[in-house]
RNA sequence: GGGCAGCUAGCUCAGUUGGUUAGAGCACCUCGUUUACACCGAGGGGGUCAGAGGUUCGAAUCCUCUGCUGCCCACCA
């Protein structure tokens, strides 16, 4: 066969291989047969280029889908991108501002700005799709989707209308999170809480007001309409229900009603809470409660959407920013001797994750998804649907239960649902799906298209980007028009995502999918952690520690990148990524290449269909049984999404067992063409899902027109008992050889003693096996030469008797007798324990008097211990 | 305030229902290399598994407490 170059240069092959895969048509499952298997791409935002986190996701998904494809499934990996409403608009506006267009929205107007954003998004999208190809990702490009294309927009409108008709989407005036900088609402989940220093002011509204309150936002007190106390608080009970009129400088004197609320803590501060219904979500809830009880309180907005004080705040404050107003109000408190205390405190405030400013709570008319309302005909709320999908299964069907890996995120998710409030879905930005609602005077019309007739105008707002992402698993599979893909691939088989979007995305997909198509969106979800640098820091622009995956691919190759990303990780936990790691992977890829290079040199004509190679020697038996084990383990681990451990096992097999031991022995024993061929075929297949390029390249170097990507996954076979005896014999040989090598390298040992020990080791080898070629091998490797020398010298006289002991003592590694002794000891101890337990369980008194649970437990212990005992016995 | 995770070799991390002498990669030391591979080979050093109790024949693994580190949630005004 032809000779391979000395080292693997990925840059020479990768693009051509990808092209060949793509042109083969096998990325498209329509060209495959078997059971369907599907993975949906978490669509990357079209806000920029892909980073290492995306590279990790690509590696995870592609490894899984290639594995399933080789297992003979119709494997679909469906790619897509996300228009990422607010993120994209914020990014484009930021760039425009940098270029000197300080007020992009005013300068360009809606249509023109949308054009600019669209242009950016399209070019970004093209970059991203190209990067996905560079990662070797085997996705079906014919099914490419975008959250903002026509098909997805149609799905959005249909779902909106359905929810609207069911009363699950409603328009209401409520306190929402408002980003002044972004001039838009944001949902509770889009808030990033940061801790900052603040001052807590303790004061009275007026001299004769009976209660003292505290606040870090005194300027909002210009809109207070109540003071809440705990109904059990004896100090204040007498005031509950009374109303006091105070003048704090607002436009009108305030009517402050003393109300009772269980949420107020008696021991916190003064135990009295100034209630500002217009500028606090909590206070707003009290306001609605009071209203429902028929004891309404006022609601006075004093802060506007521009972040400045409104007229209602009073002449002194109108037009000031909140910070200016705060200073002024505190001055006023001081002047009037109302300020009692001023102290420094740490405070958590919510900031907009996209615009970065501290979010104001404001009452506005917005669109909401009601998560508690009972859905007509289902007798359940959206919250209930979200819960049951991961607990009892959708509609109580355990086949429709989502498995989350690692499990702990299930609790996190359920806890989140517990705290969930109605989801504000309308945004005042322009880049996104327009709310499909039209108005004409008092009339409201919701449908897929504008109503007939004059005078209708569409709602100006757009939808939260997660509304459309929530539909992703089914909107990409032809819903609602063409259900062919839906029927085959939904619920999708496997999904992966970072833990940071569990609430944003996983939760919304579960909500939308169970509600709309009456099924779970995916059967399994694998949660991965975040990548960090070698110091545990996040990769970020500001820290300037970023690694561009494309650079890494250029330098080390895609396979090395993929392998390093999937090694040493565990689900849900962050992992460090650094140069040495990818270098190690690159070295492995090259090792695999060189193993192949060696095999190439050995075999004349390769055969890809060897099923059972002829076994001649102990070493053959050993390596083949190791291979069976690693086959079985790889399959088991991949089925469990344990990529890391699968790689570790495969690596040990390939490098240590195959290359370092077997190949070295094969060089001496000779005649191994068939086995080497078979071993190479098999490990190429096993490695292919992880490192597709190098394996495919080697495969095609051997078998030319064949494509590794669609070969059958090797199936593990059961090992018989007598083989396992041979295996342990070979392990002993290995240990002895290692012992000899260790001895040789040890210069502190007296030469005569060393010689004795090494010769005795040689004798031991002879005792173990004499007809398999092993001795010849090992002799060539280490011993024979020395043994010959020793026999010539006088020191060899006592080697048989004394040498064994010396060797054992010095090499330490392979004392079978000692090992037996240790096992014997453990066996005895366990036997005693088991006997004790049996006696106890046979004792009538004990059985009569002990609680059944205790007896059961003892029984279980007995079973366990007995099992262990059997195991030891078989080893003895 | 509530919850979750992590603390295992110099570094980054595995360790799946408790069970042989706790592992890997990288780094380090010694030796080797005209041999498939220096992106290499052989050997070696290095860990009382954060600490303290407890359960058990047996604990890195289970329980309790403590200490750091990080994350998430939350209406402490």
């Amino acid at each position: 066969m032809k000779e391979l170059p000395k080292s693997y240069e990925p840059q020479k092959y990768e693009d051509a291989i990808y092209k060949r895969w793509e042109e083969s048509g096998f990325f498209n499952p329509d060209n495959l047969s078997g059971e369907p298997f599907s993975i949906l791409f978490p669509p990357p935002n079209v806000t920029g280029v892909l980073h290492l986190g995306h590279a990790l996701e690509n590696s995870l998904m592609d490894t899984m889908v290639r594995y399933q494809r080789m297992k003979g499934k119709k494997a679909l990996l469906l790619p897509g991108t996300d228009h990422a409403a607010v993120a994209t608009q914020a990014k484009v506006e930021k760039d425009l501002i940098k270029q000197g267009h300080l007020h992009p929205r005013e300068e360009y107007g809606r249509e023109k700005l949308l054009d600019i954003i669209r242009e950016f998004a399209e070019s970004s999208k093209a970059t991203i799709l190209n990067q996905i190809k560079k990662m070797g990702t085997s996705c079906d490009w014919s099914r490419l989707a975008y959250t903002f294309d026509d098909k997805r927009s149609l799905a959005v409108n249909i779902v909106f209308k359905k929810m609207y008709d069911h009363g699950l989407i409603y328009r209401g005036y409520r306190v929402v999170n408002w980003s002044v900088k972004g001039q838009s609402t944001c949902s509770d989940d889009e808030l990033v809480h940061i801790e900052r220093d603040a001052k807590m002011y303790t004061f009275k509204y007026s001299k004769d007001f009976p209660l003292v309150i505290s606040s870090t936002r005194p300027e909002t007190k210009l809109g207070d309409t109540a003071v809440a106390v705990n109904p059990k608080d004896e100090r204040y009970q007498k005031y509950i229900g009374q109303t006091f009129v105070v003048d704090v400088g607002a436009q009108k004197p305030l009517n402050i009603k003393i109300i009772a609320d269980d949420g107020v803590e008696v021991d916190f501060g003064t135990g009295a809470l100034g209630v500002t219904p217009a500028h606090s979500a909590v206070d707003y809830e009290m306001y609605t409660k009071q209203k429902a009880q028929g004891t309404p309180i006022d609601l006075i907005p004093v802060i506007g959407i521009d972040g400045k004080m409104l007229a209602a705040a009073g002449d002194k404050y109108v037009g000031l920013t909140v910070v200016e107003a705060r200073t002024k109000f505190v001055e006023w408190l001081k002047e009037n001797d109302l300020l009692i205390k001023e102290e420094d405190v740490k405070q958590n405030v919510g900031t907009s994750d996209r615009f970065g400013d501290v979010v104001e709570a404001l009452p506005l008319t917005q669109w909401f998804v009601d998560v508690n309302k009972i859905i007509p005909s289902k007798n359940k709320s959206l919250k209930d649907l979200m819960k049951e999908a991961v607990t009892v299964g959708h509609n109580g069907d355990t086949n429709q239960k989502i498995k989350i890996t690692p499990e702990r995120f299930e609790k996190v998710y359920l806890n989140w649902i517990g705290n969930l409030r109605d989801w504000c879905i309308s945004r005042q930005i322009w880049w996104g799906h327009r709310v499909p609602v039209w108005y004409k005077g008092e009339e409201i019309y919701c449908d897929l298209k504008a109503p007939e007739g004059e005078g209708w105008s569409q709602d100006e707002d757009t939808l939260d980007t997660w509304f459309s992402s929530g539909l992703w698993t089914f909107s990409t599979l032809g819903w609602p028009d063409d259900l062919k893909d839906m029927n085959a691939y939904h619920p999708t088989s496997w999904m992966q995502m970072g833990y940071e979007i569990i609430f944003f995305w996983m939760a919304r997909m579960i909500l939308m999918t169970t509600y709309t198509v009456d099924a779970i969106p995916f059967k399994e979800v694998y949660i991965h952690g975040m990548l960090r640098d070698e110091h545990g820091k996040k990769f970020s622009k500001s820290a300037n520690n970023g690694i561009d995956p494309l650079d890494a691919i250029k330098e080390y190759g895609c396979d090395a990148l993929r392998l390093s990303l999937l090694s040493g990780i565990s689900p849900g936990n962050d992992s460090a990524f650094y140069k040495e790691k990818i270098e190690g992977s690159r070295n492995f890829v090259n090792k695999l290449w060189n193993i192949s290079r060696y095999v190439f040199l050995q075999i004349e004509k390769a055969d890809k269909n060897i099923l059972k190679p002829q076994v001649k020697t102990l070493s053959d038996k050993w390596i083949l049984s190791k291979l069976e084990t690693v086959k079985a383990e790889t399959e088991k681990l991949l089925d469990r999404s344990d990529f890391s451990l699968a790689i570790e096992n495969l690596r040990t097999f390939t490098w240590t067992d195959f290359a370092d031991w077997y190949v070295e022995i094969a060089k001496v024993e000779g005649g191994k063409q068939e086995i080497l061929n078979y071993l190479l075929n098999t490990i190429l297949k096993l490695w292919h899902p992880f490192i597709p390029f190098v394996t495919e390249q080697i495969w095609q170097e051997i078998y030319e027109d064949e494509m590794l990507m669609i070969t059958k996954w090797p199936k593990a076979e059961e090992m018989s008992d007598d083989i396992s005896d041979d295996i342990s014999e070979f392990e002993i040989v290995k240990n002895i050889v290692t012992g000899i090598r260790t001895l040789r390298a040890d210069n502190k040992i007296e030469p005569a003693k060393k010689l004795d020990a090494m010769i005795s080791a040689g004798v031991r080898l002879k005792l173990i096996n004499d007809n398999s070629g092993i001795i010849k091998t090992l002799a060539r490797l280490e011993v024979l030469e020395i043994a010959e020398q020793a026999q010539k010298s006088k020191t060899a006289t006592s080697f048989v008797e004394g040498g064994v002991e010396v060797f054992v003592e010095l090499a330490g590694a392979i004392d079978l007798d000692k090992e037996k002794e240790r096992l014997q000891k453990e066996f005895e101890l366990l036997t005693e324990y088991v006997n004790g337990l049996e006696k106890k369980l046979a004792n009538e008194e004990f059985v009569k008097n002990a609680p059944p649970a205790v007896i059961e437990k003892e029984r279980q212990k007995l079973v366990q211990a007995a099992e262990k005992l059997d195991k030891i016995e078989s080893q003895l």
Side-chain angles (χ1 to χ4, degrees):
Chain A
M1 281 179 62
K2 67 179 166 175
E3 200 172 319
L4 291 178
K6 274 206 159 207
S7 63
Y8 174 63
E9 287 173 60
Q11 301 78 8
K12 269 165 72 176
Y13 310 108
E14 288 182 356
D15 288 347
I17 292 175
Y18 193 84
K19 197 162 162 245
R20 205 174 154 204
W21 283 334
E22 212 181 334
E23 283 167 359
S24 76
F26 295 123
F27 286 179
N28 185 338
D30 296 344
N31 299 325
L32 301 165
S33 56
E35 255 178 71
F37 180 91
S38 53
I39 300 179
L40 258 290
F41 238 80
N45 290 353
V46 290
T47 47
V49 294
L50 296 192
H51 52 69
L52 272 180
H54 294 110
L56 169 64
E57 298 209 322
N58 274 275
S59 307
L60 289 166
M61 290 186 289
D62 193 51
T63 300
M64 183 51 87
V65 85
R66 281 179 186 274
Y67 167 62
Q68 299 292 347
R69 192 181 291 124
M70 288 175 79
K71 287 223 325 193
K73 301 211 178 137
K74 276 169 91 90
L76 169 65
L77 176 55
L78 197 156
T81 48
D82 191 341
H83 71 293
V86 61
T88 310
Q89 181 163 345
K91 157 89 179 140
V92 172
E93 285 181 351
K94 207 171 155 193
D95 290 349
L96 287 170
I97 289 167
K98 252 189 218 159
Q99 292 160 22
H101 306 277
L102 297 184
H103 303 285
R105 289 184 210 180
E106 282 133 61
E107 187 178 326
Y108 294 107
R110 186 161 189 148
E111 291 314 314
K112 179 74 185 131
L113 187 60
L114 277 176
D115 284 344
I116 297 173
I117 300 172
R118 192 170 300 114
E119 198 181 318
F120 169 82
E122 288 304 317
S123 94
S124 179
K125 206 202 286 182
T127 310
I128 287 169
L129 297 178
N130 183 45
Q131 284 180 302
I132 293 172
K133 293 184 179 182
K134 285 273 178 199
M135 286 296 304
T137 318
S138 59
C139 38
D140 179 6
W141 296 105
S142 73
R143 286 179 166 87
L144 178 66
Y146 178 43
T147 53
F148 205 18
D149 58 21
D150 291 344
K151 284 184 181 167
R152 267 45 72 175
S153 297
L154 176 67
V156 164
N157 288 351
I158 291 175
V159 173
F160 188 99
K161 180 169 163 48
K162 180 174 174 175
M163 294 181 99
Y164 179 83
D165 290 344
H166 275 166
L168 298 172
I169 284 181
Y170 67 93
R171 194 167 183 247
Y173 180 75
R174 292 191 17 195
V175 168
V176 294
N177 307 305
W178 180 260
S179 164
V180 173
K181 202 166 155 197
Q183 284 296 295
S184 178
T185 56
C186 51
S187 67
D188 295 341
D189 302 294
E190 285 167 293
L191 296 185
V192 178
H193 291 275
I194 57 166
E195 194 183 70
R196 68 171 183 187
D197 292 319
K199 284 202 190 306
M200 171 88 83
Y201 302 95
T202 303
F203 57 94
K204 282 176 151 186
Y205 294 111
S206 68
K207 275 266 183 308
D208 49 0
F209 194 79
L211 299 160
V212 177
I213 59 163
S214 301
S215 177
T216 54
R217 296 284 309 271
E219 75 280 10
T220 64
K221 303 290 112 182
L222 292 159
D224 275 13
T225 56
V227 165
V229 298
N230 191 299
K232 291 188 189 122
D233 194 333
E234 289 175 7
R235 295 171 296 179
Y236 305 134
Q237 271 170 350
K238 57 189 167 198
Y239 301 117
I240 292 170
Q242 293 184 38
T243 301
F244 298 85
V245 179
V246 297
D247 186 358
V248 293
Q251 196 175 37
K252 290 178 194 160
L254 302 172
N255 294 311
I256 306 282
K257 189 171 193 173
I258 313 300
I259 60 172
D261 192 284
D262 290 328
V264 179
E265 281 181 41
V266 177
D267 299 329
F268 185 85
T270 61
L273 163 65
V275 180
T276 323
H279 298 293
S280 155
V282 186
D283 295 3
Y284 183 78
E285 262 174 41
M286 292 187 194
Y287 163 84
T288 45
K289 240 189 259 171
Q290 292 297 317
K291 203 169 167 186
Q293 286 170 13
T295 53
I297 54 174
D298 295 334
L299 179 133
I300 311 173
V302 291
I303 303 171
I305 58 169
D306 56 0
K308 292 183 177 159
M309 304 306 286
L310 295 171
D315 294 343
K316 272 165 58 187
Y317 300 99
V318 62
L320 297 182
T321 66
V322 291
V323 177
E324 290 162 353
R326 188 176 312 154
T327 312
K328 199 155 199 174
F329 187 79
V330 172
E331 270 168 31
W332 177 83
L333 286 173
K334 282 181 188 162
E335 279 162 20
N336 291 279
D337 208 15
L338 295 168
L339 186 68
I340 294 160
K341 208 163 58 176
E342 179 180 334
E343 55 195 321
D344 293 323
V345 292
K346 295 275 180 207
Q347 176 198 30
N348 279 323
V349 289
T351 62
S352 153
D353 69 340
R354 291 300 167 185
F355 295 102
D357 58 333
V358 174
V359 162
E360 286 291 347
L362 297 180
L364 293 171
T365 301
Q366 297 292 332
W367 289 96
F368 296 90
V369 170
D370 191 328
V371 291
N372 291 307
K373 190 183 164 100
I374 298 300
I375 304 162
S377 83
K378 288 210 179 186
N379 203 24
K380 275 174 213 168
S381 67
L382 290 170
K383 262 190 187 180
D384 296 332
L385 284 176
M386 289 165 93
K387 263 186 227 163
E388 68 176 24
V390 303
T391 51
V392 294
H394 182 59
N395 291 334
D397 176 1
T398 47
N399 291 320
Q400 292 243 21
K401 178 169 147 58
I402 296 170
K403 184 181 170 222
I404 302 177
T405 307
E407 265 176 42
R408 65 171 188 274
F409 286 108
E410 192 181 305
K411 270 188 278 175
V412 178
Y413 167 78
L414 290 172
N415 179 48
W416 177 82
I417 296 175
N419 291 321
L420 189 61
R421 287 184 290 186
D422 286 0
W423 172 20
C424 175
I425 52 171
S426 47
R427 299 288 179 273
Q428 288 63 55
I429 55 159
W430 295 336
W431 179 247
H433 295 101
R434 194 101 171 244
V435 173
V437 170
W438 287 261
Y439 307 97
K440 186 157 105 182
E442 294 292 299
E443 280 182 89
I444 292 188
Y445 178 86
C446 172
D447 208 333
L448 310 183
K449 284 189 182 141
E452 301 285 321
E454 294 287 305
W456 289 96
S457 59
Q458 188 172 5
D459 196 299
E460 291 287 312
D461 290 353
T462 53
L463 291 172
D464 183 0
T465 191
W466 299 104
F467 192 95
S468 53
S469 327
L471 319 179
W472 191 238
T473 61
F474 57 93
S475 70
T476 50
L477 290 173
W479 188 89
D481 301 328
D482 177 3
L483 298 183
K484 199 174 91 262
D485 274 358
M486 260 310 260
N487 292 334
Y489 298 109
H490 201 276
T492 61
S493 315
W494 194 80
M495 169 67 71
Q496 62 77 36
M497 71 182 75
Y499 54 70
E500 70 276 6
I501 56 169
I502 290 178
F503 306 142
F504 283 126
W505 196 41
M506 185 183 93
R508 265 66 185 258
M509 278 195 284
I510 296 174
L511 181 157
M512 289 296 195
T513 313
T514 50
Y515 167 72
T516 308
V517 299
D518 199 23
I520 52 173
F522 34 77
K523 293 170 197 156
E524 273 189 67
V525 56
Y526 173 95
I527 307 290
H528 66 77
M530 215 191 310
L531 288 166
R532 297 170 177 275
D533 70 8
E534 72 265 48
H535 309 294
K537 277 201 195 112
K538 285 186 193 175
F539 288 111
S540 69
K541 272 186 195 139
S542 55
N544 198 25
N545 58 356
I547 297 174
D548 182 342
L550 286 192
D551 289 347
I553 289 173
K554 227 185 220 164
E555 193 175 352
Y556 300 100
C558 178
D559 293 325
L561 176 63
R562 291 171 59 127
L563 197 55
S564 58
L565 286 167
L566 296 182
S567 304
I569 62 168
S570 57
N573 292 332
D574 294 350
S575 58
F577 188 84
Y578 43 90
K579 200 168 143 249
E580 287 77 9
K581 206 170 166 184
I582 190 167
E583 275 173 3
S585 300
R586 187 264 323 260
N587 294 354
F588 175 77
V589 169
N590 189 56
K591 184 75 184 181
L592 185 61
W593 179 263
N594 270 292
I595 291 170
S596 314
R597 185 166 185 264
Y598 175 76
V599 176
F600 268 55
L601 294 172
Q602 301 310 305
I603 49 183
E604 279 154 29
K605 192 161 183 344
D607 180 358
K608 67 181 163 55
N609 294 319
I610 307 167
L611 286 178
K612 265 208 181 320
Q614 213 190 346
V615 175
K616 289 178 194 147
T617 66
L618 199 53
S619 59
D620 299 344
K621 279 189 197 165
W622 172 77
I623 194 70
L624 289 175
S625 94
K626 280 262 173 185
L627 182 69
E628 290 311 313
T629 310
V630 83
K631 274 191 213 167
E633 269 180 356
T634 307
E635 182 157 353
K636 191 178 89 192
L637 290 167
L638 279 178
D639 287 341
R640 270 209 324 242
S641 307
D642 195 338
F643 302 93
S644 205
L645 209 51
I647 287 172
E648 209 176 306
N649 285 334
L650 265 177
R651 192 190 143 96
T652 304
F653 174 78
T654 309
W655 202 320
T656 309
D657 296 335
F658 185 29
D660 290 343
W661 279 101
Y662 186 73
V663 168
E664 291 309 314
I665 288 171
K667 282 178 187 171
V668 180
E669 290 186 346
K672 305 282 194 193
Q673 285 85 344
E674 199 195 16
I675 290 198
L676 287 171
N677 189 174
Y678 170 73
L679 284 166
L680 182 64
N681 290 350
T682 313
I683 61 170
L684 288 176
K685 289 177 191 171
L686 294 174
W687 274 113
H688 183 258
F690 306 97
I691 43 175
F693 286 110
V694 67
T695 48
E696 185 72 75
Q697 181 61 34
I698 296 168
W699 191 262
Q700 295 189 12
E701 296 273 0
I702 316 175
Y703 304 115
E704 315 245 321
D705 293 333
E706 295 294 325
M707 198 173 277
L708 179 59
M709 179 173 81
I710 47 156
T711 54
K712 275 255 144 51
W713 182 257
K715 206 169 158 38
E717 279 158 40
E718 290 274 316
M719 222 194 333
S720 67
D721 281 355
D722 53 323
I723 285 190
S724 76
D725 281 351
D726 289 339
I727 300 325
S728 47
E729 206 170 340
F730 188 82
E731 291 290 346
I732 292 164
V733 170
K734 270 180 69 194
N735 282 339
I736 295 173
V737 172
T738 307
I740 293 170
R741 287 171 177 170
T742 311
L743 266 172
R744 279 186 78 166
D746 195 335
N747 293 325
K748 278 172 234 149
I749 302 168
E750 215 180 296
K753 243 186 179 179
K754 199 187 207 175
L755 210 52
D756 272 0
M758 288 174 74
I759 294 159
S760 67
V763 170
R764 268 195 95 113
L765 283 173
K766 271 194 178 152
L767 293 175
I768 285 168
N769 192 315
D770 204 15
N771 60 359
S772 67
I774 286 281
I775 297 302
K776 198 177 139 206
T777 304
L778 296 168
R780 163 79 174 269
L781 288 178
E782 310 284 345
V783 180
L784 194 63
E785 190 189 328
I786 299 165
E788 272 171 19
Q789 280 174 15
Q791 276 171 342
K792 283 179 204 155
S793 78
K794 284 180 259 171
T795 49
T797 45
S798 63
F799 72 86
V800 179
E801 296 278 314
V804 173
E805 265 170 54
V806 177
F807 170 72
V808 161
E809 195 182 309
L810 295 177
I814 34 95
D815 187 351
L816 289 178
D817 302 333
K818 236 184 195 169
E819 174 66 12
K820 270 218 164 119
E821 212 175 287
R822 201 192 53 73
L823 276 174
Q824 188 67 41
K825 223 175 198 172
E826 196 175 342
F827 182 77
E828 278 162 23
L829 274 171
L830 254 178
T831 310
E832 208 175 297
Y833 173 62
V834 168
N835 288 343
L837 269 181
E838 274 170 352
K839 228 182 203 171
K840 198 171 176 186
L841 283 166
N843 184 338
E844 278 177 33
E845 293 262 319
F846 174 73
V847 176
K848 230 186 253 169
N849 299 327
V854 171
I855 298 175
E856 187 47 39
K857 209 177 162 190
E858 297 291 294
R859 282 226 172 89
Q860 277 173 13
K861 279 185 181 173
L862 179 63
V863 171
Q864 265 182 19
E867 270 171 18
K868 180 68 191 165
L869 202 58
D870 280 352
K871 222 168 148 187
I872 293 176
E873 202 171 5
S874 72
Q875 280 170 21
L876 276 171

